[in-house]
Amino acid sequence: MTQDQITLFALFGLVFALLLWGRWRYDVIAFSALMAGVVLGVVETKNAFDGFGHPATLVVALVLVVSAGLVRSGAVFLITRTLVDSARSLGAHIALMGLIGGVLSAFMNNVAALALLMPVDIQTARKAGRGPGLSLMPLSFATILGGMATLIGTPPNIIIAAIREDMLGEPFKMFDFAPVGSVTAIAGLIFVALIGWRLIPQGEDEGRRGNPMDDYAAYIAELTVPEDSKLIGKRLGELLEDSEKADVAILGLVRDGKRRYGTAQNAGLRAGDALVLEATPDALDEFRSALSLDFADAKREEHLRADGDGLKVIEVVVTEQSRINGKTAQSIGLAWRQRSVLLGISRRGKNIKKEVRKTVVETGDILLILVPQDNANDVTEWLGCLPLAARGLAVTEDKKTWLAIGLFAAAVAAASVGIIYLPVALGIVVVAYVLARIVPLSELYTHIEWPVVVLLGSMIPLGAALESSGGTELIAGALVELTGGMPPWAVLTILMVVTMTLSDVLNNTATAIVAAPIGITMAQTMGVNPDPFLMAVAVAASCAFLTPIGHKNNTLILGPGGYSFGDYWRMGLPLEILVVAVSIPAILTFWPL
């Protein structure tokens, strides 16, 4: 063993010990290890920052921006309304989302499948009043499992098919992975839905509790029926199902400036009617998007959209010194002076009997205001109100829902059939989202989990150094020596366990590149069919469930799920054991030695 190999093995051991300890944040540990590797001479200075431009790092960053665009466009609401019910039990929700994620990831890149479903899962968790950490990890694992079923589902399958062509003369075809991959995926999904999610630590950190502001008093708000609405002629009572799905209470109807109560449920809706609602900001936006309603001041909204880079929703608290205290939004000229619209008022459970913009505001009221994207601070200062802590409220661009979905679907399809490289495809989608104002330019970088980017950018050069120093070859040599004289099925099992362990430490793509030739060499040495060994490598390289760095999907959920580095193995370890136990018999059945 060379000095560089000893140094790298020691460095990796120290990194993982510190990550499991959890005292310091994972990005600080990883970057410190990278700097140590450079100083110690095991990572070349010119290659030190290659990880920050690596496709894996770029995909993670771009996917988070695309995911935000799908939320802003209303695509998430569309899927949530049609497929997901927050009233379902957690186990049933995980089973349904896992099934959807598994099927999608078989026919599209599993990172893209998670990008599409992750915001849906977070929204559902918020509506159900639970932290997203209970369901994001099962969803990530499900999309990883589903990707094993086809050639295009996951990068290791593509790599292994190419290596087979180089070394054996013919690649694997599109559905050659399906028999083994499908059986393994189904077994894994059943485990995740029934048992696995119960093993996730249920701590009280912010990531798992969700946003504490979600439990704050709801707003009394108004949304109007536009001229071309499909709701015209329907009774107000017919909207109850939609309001329940969005967790919105319909309090009444305003017509010709007058509030209607008792007979409102049976009233036929007309253009210009205003629905009086009680809801949280997110629920109000979902309801508006679902029914294509307008804000209370539709004309002012059109001017705002034409003037700026987009719209933003802010929450402010009224004090005794506030300009609006004791007055109405209409009387102080909020609309024409500040190009802003008062959407709702929260008054700690007290009724508001007039139209929102004509309601006299009191000290202690919380106002929900629609403002130009770059004008939030100016409006707050002009009003003399206190801003509430920002919690990422945004206006859904529901008129661009199908544009956002179409751009994303076209990029995924093009990448899946090899027309364009996945990171490039996602980059084009991000550019298109910005140009179409689906994602405001000012928010472009706020959606990226920068600690995760630093983690990946730091660990990739260390993994490459381990490979170039001969560390992985050292492991391979020890493996061949260890398995001498064993029956083929035992050798297959050991190869799979070692590959799976490497995949948890290194990038799964790098693991497939290293392990696939080793598998072929081992099979040829024993004089048996190499295809079972390649299948074992394919399954093992994909099934990285012990850490957040082995697979990009696990890295993506690290921040939004509020997980620590040591949370993954609790569900991941029994799942990896199950994968080995199920896939080895399946491989021997469908790919005889």
Side-chain angles (χ1 to χ4, degrees):
M1 188 180 293
T2 66
Q3 182 61 45
D4 283 356
Q5 291 170 350
I6 294 172
T7 302
L8 281 165
F9 282 128
L11 199 56
F12 269 97
L14 179 62
V15 166
F16 280 91
L18 291 174
L19 289 172
L20 290 171
W21 185 28
R23 181 68 180 271
W24 294 303
R25 206 168 69 182
Y26 49 84
D27 55 323
V28 175
I29 295 170
F31 191 74
S32 299
L34 176 61
M35 294 298 99
V38 175
V39 171
L40 293 171
V42 293
V43 177
E44 292 189 29
T45 303
K46 64 179 181 179
N47 299 329
F49 301 107
D50 287 355
F52 291 92
H54 193 278
T57 307
L58 294 175
V59 165
V60 167
L62 292 170
V63 157
L64 289 168
V65 178
V66 171
S67 179
L70 291 170
V71 174
R72 288 290 300 265
S73 69
V76 171
F77 287 156
L78 181 65
I79 297 172
T80 303
R81 289 194 301 270
T82 54
L83 298 176
V84 181
D85 184 357
S86 60
R88 287 192 183 97
S89 66
L90 180 56
H93 168 77
I94 288 172
L96 177 63
M97 291 294 289
L99 178 61
I100 296 169
V103 172
L104 283 178
S105 60
F107 297 98
M108 59 193 287
N109 184 278
N110 47 23
V111 178
L114 179 63
L116 182 64
L117 294 178
M118 184 169 69
V120 177
D121 194 72
I122 293 172
Q123 291 279 2
T124 305
R126 183 178 294 125
K127 289 171 63 176
R130 62 173 180 266
L134 287 172
S135 52
L136 276 180
M137 191 182 294
L139 177 61
S140 172
F141 287 4
T143 53
I144 293 172
L145 288 164
M148 296 188 297
T150 65
L151 174 65
I152 64 171
T154 186
N157 286 4
I158 299 172
I159 291 166
I160 288 166
I163 291 174
R164 187 180 190 272
E165 183 178 20
D166 291 339
M167 297 185 68
L168 302 178
E170 186 179 353
F172 284 123
K173 297 181 177 63
M174 177 70 173
F175 294 104
D176 282 348
F177 297 91
V180 174
S182 298
V183 169
T184 306
I186 290 170
L189 289 172
I190 291 172
F191 168 80
V192 167
L194 297 180
I195 301 172
W197 66 269
R198 304 175 193 274
L199 305 177
I200 301 172
Q202 300 182 36
E204 293 300 322
D205 56 89
E206 182 179 352
R208 293 190 181 93
R209 283 186 285 119
N211 198 313
M213 281 300 298
D214 289 343
D215 296 326
Y216 206 87
Y219 290 89
I220 304 298
E222 295 171 6
L223 295 174
T224 60
V225 179
E227 296 287 341
D228 56 349
S229 175
K230 296 179 181 179
L231 300 178
I232 295 174
K234 286 190 174 183
R235 292 184 297 109
L236 188 62
E238 295 179 50
L239 307 185
L240 290 179
E241 183 177 348
D242 292 292
S243 67
E244 288 175 0
K245 281 187 177 181
D247 199 19
V248 170
I250 301 178
L251 303 183
L253 181 70
V254 175
R255 178 174 293 166
D256 300 327
K258 297 181 180 179
R259 185 76 65 88
R260 302 181 62 175
Y261 291 99
T263 60
Q265 294 295 319
N266 295 318
L269 293 175
R270 302 176 187 172
D273 284 351
L275 308 183
V276 184
L277 311 167
E278 183 175 19
T280 62
D282 287 331
L284 186 69
D285 189 48
E286 179 177 351
F287 186 69
R288 182 190 66 81
S289 175
L291 300 183
S292 298
L293 296 168
D294 282 338
F295 292 109
D297 192 342
K299 291 183 178 179
R300 177 58 54 183
E301 177 199 348
E302 291 178 7
H303 291 313
L304 292 185
R305 291 187 186 278
D307 288 346
D309 184 35
L311 305 179
K312 182 178 182 179
V313 175
I314 62 172
E315 296 168 291
V316 298
V317 182
V318 178
T319 67
E320 290 186 3
Q321 290 75 36
S322 296
R323 183 191 299 267
I324 198 172
N325 185 35
K327 302 175 183 176
T328 69
Q330 188 177 52
S331 67
I332 67 168
L334 178 65
W336 64 272
R337 289 179 185 272
Q338 294 296 316
R339 300 183 298 123
S340 301
V341 175
L342 178 63
L343 299 181
I345 302 174
S346 177
R347 190 169 284 174
R348 301 189 182 278
K350 296 181 181 179
N351 289 330
I352 295 174
K353 298 182 179 180
K354 294 184 178 180
E355 293 178 73
V356 169
R357 62 177 178 167
K358 296 180 180 178
T359 298
V360 176
V361 175
E362 301 174 0
T363 301
D365 283 353
I366 302 177
L367 308 182
L368 189 69
I369 305 176
L370 183 73
V371 300
Q373 182 69 36
D374 300 323
N375 210 32
N377 293 335
D378 293 339
V379 174
T380 303
E381 185 177 344
W382 183 80
L383 286 171
C385 294
L386 300 177
L388 282 181
R391 48 171 168 160
L393 300 178
V395 180
T396 299
E397 300 286 348
D398 50 286
K399 295 179 181 178
K400 300 173 182 176
T401 299
W402 291 109
L403 174 62
I405 293 175
L407 289 169
F408 179 71
V412 169
S416 297
V417 298
I419 296 175
I420 192 169
Y421 191 36
L422 178 63
V424 176
L426 291 174
I428 292 172
V429 173
V430 168
V431 171
Y433 279 7
V434 171
L435 293 177
R437 294 186 177 180
I438 294 171
V439 176
L441 186 59
S442 58
E443 294 182 8
L444 183 60
Y445 299 105
T446 62
H447 299 291
I448 298 173
E449 292 279 348
W450 291 109
V452 174
V453 170
V454 173
L455 171 69
L456 272 180
S458 302
M459 291 302 293
I460 287 172
L462 288 171
L466 182 64
E467 184 179 349
S468 62
S469 70
T472 52
E473 291 180 13
L474 190 67
I475 297 171
L479 181 61
V480 171
E481 184 178 348
L482 176 66
T483 57
M486 290 186 179
W489 66 265
V491 177
L492 200 64
T493 303
I494 292 174
L495 173 65
M496 193 167 186
V497 171
V498 172
T499 303
M500 198 175 280
T501 304
L502 278 175
S503 189
D504 283 313
V505 178
L506 303 174
N507 179 272
N508 61 350
T509 303
T511 301
I513 292 172
V514 172
I518 293 173
I520 293 175
T521 302
M522 293 172 69
Q524 290 173 340
T525 301
M526 292 185 292
V528 297
N529 181 10
D531 285 340
F533 288 78
L534 287 175
M535 283 293 161
V537 171
V539 172
S542 294
C543 293
F545 300 124
L546 298 188
T547 70
I549 63 173
H551 196 286
K552 290 187 285 291
N553 284 21
N554 290 345
T555 310
L556 276 174
I557 64 167
L558 182 61
Y563 302 117
S564 66
F565 192 91
D567 286 346
Y568 288 75
W569 71 268
R570 299 171 186 269
M571 178 165 63
L573 181 58
L575 180 55
E576 287 194 0
I577 294 171
L578 176 66
V579 166
V580 173
V582 171
S583 60
I584 291 294
I587 290 170
L588 295 175
T589 299
F590 295 108
W591 298 92
L593 290 165

